[in-house]
Amino acid sequence: MTPPPPPSTPAGPNAAAPGGKTSGRAGDRALRAAARHSAVRTGAVGACAVAAALTALVEPAVLGHALDLLLRRDPAGGAWTLVCAAVISAEVLLDALTTRLTGQVNGRSTAWLRRRGLTALLRASPHHAARHSPGDLTARLTAHATEAGTGPAAAAAGVASLLPPLGGLVALFLIDTWTALAFLAGLPVLFWLLRSFARDSGSSVTRYQEVQLGMAARLVEALAGARTIAAAGTVGRERARVLRDLPELDAQGRRMWRVYGGTTARTSALMPLLLYVVLAVGGLRLVAGALGVGELLAAVRYAGLAAGIGAVTGRVAAVVRARAAAGRTAAVFDLPELRCGVGELSADGPGRLELDGVRVVREGRIVLDGIDLVVPGGATLAVVGRSGAGKSLLAAVAGRLTDPDRGRVLLDGVPLEELSVAALRREVGHAFDRPALVGKSVADAIAFGRGPAPTREEVRAAARAAGAEPFVLRLPDGYDTALADAPLSGGEVQRLGLARAFLRAGRLLVLDDATSSLDTLTAREVERALARCVGGGTRIVVAHRVSAAARADLVVWLEDGRIRAAGVHADLWRDPAYRAVFAVEPGPGRQEGPRRESAAAHGSGPAAGAVAGPGAGGLS
């Protein structure tokens, strides 16, 4: 029997698989689907395994008959010797072919599970995908998918592995009833061992994985916050937190190996005893003249095949591990999909955005409610409010990164859910506070997602608009510098994200706190560039700076998920509570205080002329 490798997988906070029947059923469905994906090869594994098993069943009879012929000096003995050689060769070749096909099925099944999980992840709304941490998703789509991918071939070969022991037992009865009965005397103990192994190994493997993944989750958290931990001087406490379940992991690991090792030891001791009993009874029957030498040889070989039912333990263990891993991988499959239609927008639409009765509920709590809003085409809307007011969620709903639980969002009169994926992502661009850069080089990161591929001058124009070109040109190879070799600060990463958004700007551009890491001067330059250099579509800006609100055509002031007020910035500024939003929440990365910036934005300071006043007819 091959010992099961202990699971070793990094994971995130949500790594513990859902237990019980629901997870098991999801895993079974995933394994069946993976088997259908490689149905031909999986069937070939089963067929080759069955053929190898049948060949193994034929071999003892052929060997026994050939031996009897040779002992009698029968001329046919030579021919039967060749038959024996052919049967043995066929068995070896079939076993080798089964092994080769098993590797192919495992690889294809693993690849299918990963693609299926990744597709479900990318099609889901970001807030649904956030149910699992990055470490958790990595574990589910790598180590768990690999383990689960062995399931279809293991199940197919496992069924075939039953044929030699069952066939060997039948053959024993056909050769000599007394020999077969002697073997049967030990089978109840063997079946009890296998049954207890299947039960105990399933629970021990599952619990081992849960404890291990919980530790890995805390390790991922600690690594992500390594600087904070070092600055706080809490290294020892974090080490204790990460390793707090180590005693239970040790206990579960020992239990898992005790179950397997105990079963292996008992079956290893039982099998030789059964064979010795068969050999003893067969010898007595040989002396009595009831069996020939060849028949005794065949009986002993068939007893060995029948005793091979202990090897089924390894097959059962493989299927148990694959089923448990498939349940964890399949959890990603069930993420709710952000479904899209097949519609397109008219070619000449201005980008008019409408939110009609929008409500969003998260974990039973209403986060946005009663949002009725119309943004004229080509206008800039600033969304302001205190932390937790729902600003980023409103931006996500407007750009359809998530769907409202009630109400609808329309772009140029077309509900966003009716648009095709291509139309939606072509016409709606996003920039975030912490953008992820994808691509081999800096230029690739800016051009990512743009189709058709932009020219080099278009990439440079977008970088200039985002204030990124000066630091890009200082990189070793400029725009061709590999991302891995580009030492970028948080603000520089944010500017590259803005450049990417500017390059993709269609009729709606959503900037979700996308200038939070920029100094005030650079942020103002980006705001001006939005008017001068970026296409004339509609813009939604989640704003923390007074200057951003002052430059907008319309401001929506959110409070507790509702619109408290909407209008132009100059009118709203008369409300002390509105001014307090900026005084309390300047946002990260500021290099001058919010009150000083406010004074400049409203003409009461020396820099007043640098910022266009509100109500001046849009960005200028």
Side-chain angles (χ1 to χ4, degrees):
M1 294 184 288
T2 304
S8 178
T9 53
N14 303 315
K21 296 182 179 179
T22 301
S23 175
R25 287 195 295 266
D28 292 341
R29 289 195 299 270
L31 289 179
R32 286 195 294 269
R36 287 194 297 271
H37 175 69
S38 298
V40 175
R41 287 180 172 84
T42 304
V45 168
C48 289
V50 168
L54 294 176
T55 305
L57 287 172
V58 170
E59 180 190 329
V62 173
L63 285 174
H65 185 61
L67 179 60
D68 283 338
L69 291 176
L70 291 173
L71 290 175
R72 295 199 302 265
R73 301 186 181 277
D74 192 311
W80 276 95
T81 301
L82 295 177
V83 172
C84 290
V87 170
I88 294 172
S89 299
E91 183 181 2
V92 172
L93 290 174
L94 287 169
D95 283 338
L97 186 57
T98 301
T99 302
R100 180 183 178 87
L101 289 171
T102 296
Q104 293 178 355
V105 171
N106 290 350
R108 287 174 58 86
S109 298
T110 299
W112 183 87
L113 289 166
R114 288 175 176 168
R115 284 196 301 269
R116 176 72 177 83
L118 184 60
T119 299
L121 178 64
L122 296 179
R123 287 179 176 174
S125 298
H127 77 279
H128 287 306
R131 294 176 184 175
H132 305 286
S133 72
D136 176 41
L137 291 171
T138 299
R140 292 177 190 271
L141 298 180
T142 54
H144 289 316
T146 300
E147 189 76 59
T150 64
V159 173
S161 69
L162 293 171
L163 291 178
L166 295 179
L169 185 59
V170 171
L172 272 179
F173 273 101
L174 293 177
I175 293 172
D176 186 72
T177 303
W178 289 104
T179 305
L181 291 175
F183 179 83
L184 280 178
L187 284 187
V189 178
L190 180 60
F191 281 117
W192 175 78
L193 290 174
L194 294 179
R195 182 177 179 275
S196 62
F197 171 78
R199 181 187 65 247
D200 296 340
S201 65
S203 61
S204 63
V205 168
T206 298
R207 185 56 189 156
Y208 184 93
Q209 289 180 347
E210 290 176 355
V211 175
Q212 185 191 48
L213 294 178
M215 289 180 58
R218 294 190 293 275
L219 176 60
V220 170
E221 292 174 354
L223 291 175
R227 289 189 300 176
T228 301
I229 293 169
T234 58
V235 174
R237 188 170 66 189
E238 283 301 306
R239 183 191 302 114
R241 186 179 74 90
V242 170
L243 299 178
R244 71 186 183 205
D245 291 335
L246 189 59
E248 185 180 1
L249 183 72
D250 176 70
Q252 293 298 331
R254 290 176 183 274
R255 178 192 172 202
M256 183 175 65
W257 287 108
R258 277 199 305 270
V259 169
Y260 191 85
T263 304
T264 301
R266 286 188 286 269
T267 53
S268 297
L270 180 62
M271 292 304 102
L273 289 176
L274 287 177
L275 291 178
Y276 288 143
V277 170
V278 169
L279 184 59
V281 174
L284 293 175
R285 299 289 288 169
L286 176 65
V287 172
L291 284 178
V293 175
E295 290 175 317
L296 177 59
L297 173 63
V300 172
R301 294 295 296 266
Y302 280 125
L305 290 177
I309 196 168
V312 177
T313 304
R315 301 291 186 183
V316 172
V319 174
V320 166
R321 296 195 306 271
R323 188 169 179 265
R328 298 180 188 278
T329 304
V332 182
F333 298 176
D334 296 330
L335 291 174
E337 182 180 346
L338 189 67
R339 297 185 178 276
C340 291
V342 295
E344 296 287 335
L345 292 171
S346 59
D348 55 353
R352 174 186 170 92
L353 181 68
E354 302 173 62
L355 283 78
D356 181 14
V358 166
R359 169 185 281 190
V360 179
V361 180
R362 290 289 182 269
E363 298 180 357
R365 184 173 69 91
I366 298 176
V367 186
L368 288 178
D369 192 27
I371 305 297
D372 293 296
L373 184 64
V374 176
V375 185
T380 296
L381 169 72
V383 183
V384 305
R386 295 180 184 275
S387 177
K391 304 184 295 296
S392 291
L393 186 56
L394 176 61
V397 170
R400 210 190 171 218
L401 291 179
T402 188
D403 281 332
D405 296 285
R406 181 185 299 175
R408 58 180 187 165
V409 182
L410 302 94
L411 185 60
D412 285 333
V414 181
L416 291 186
E417 67 269 17
E418 295 181 5
L419 293 177
S420 66
V421 174
L424 180 68
R425 298 310 170 205
R426 182 177 62 247
E427 298 294 348
V428 181
H430 294 266
F432 306 101
D433 56 341
R434 284 180 283 183
L437 302 181
V438 181
K440 293 182 178 180
S441 66
V442 172
D444 291 339
I446 297 174
F448 179 74
R450 164 73 183 270
T455 64
R456 176 53 66 95
E457 183 51 41
E458 288 176 322
V459 170
R460 297 191 62 173
R464 285 194 294 271
E469 186 165 65
F471 75 80
V472 171
L473 293 178
R474 290 196 297 269
L475 294 173
D477 297 311
Y479 285 92
D480 295 321
T481 302
L483 278 178
D485 299 331
L488 302 175
S489 68
E492 290 168 343
V493 170
Q494 198 165 70
R495 275 179 273 179
L496 291 179
L498 281 165
R500 180 176 62 196
F502 293 169
L503 189 61
R504 289 174 52 85
R507 64 184 77 191
L508 176 62
L509 178 61
V510 181
L511 305 180
D512 183 4
D513 205 13
T515 60
S516 60
S517 296
L518 307 184
D519 60 82
T520 303
L521 180 60
T522 302
R524 288 179 178 173
E525 292 175 353
V526 170
E527 290 164 11
R528 296 189 188 100
L530 274 169
R532 297 195 311 269
C533 310
V534 183
T538 304
R539 302 175 183 89
I540 296 179
V541 180
V542 174
H544 290 284
R545 300 176 188 269
V546 175
S547 59
R551 288 181 176 276
D553 301 298
L554 176 67
V555 176
V556 168
W557 176 15
L558 290 181
E559 187 170 273
D560 297 328
R562 292 178 174 272
I563 297 178
R564 174 166 175 173
V568 295
H569 174 72
D571 295 337
L572 295 175
W573 189 257
R574 300 188 183 100
D575 189 333
Y578 176 79
R579 295 198 299 271
V581 171
F582 298 97
V584 173
E585 246 184 74
R590 305 298 192 265
Q591 294 191 3
E592 54 180 297
R595 297 187 185 279
R596 179 176 170 189
E597 185 183 11
S598 301
H602 291 277
S604 56
V611 180
L619 296 176
S620 58

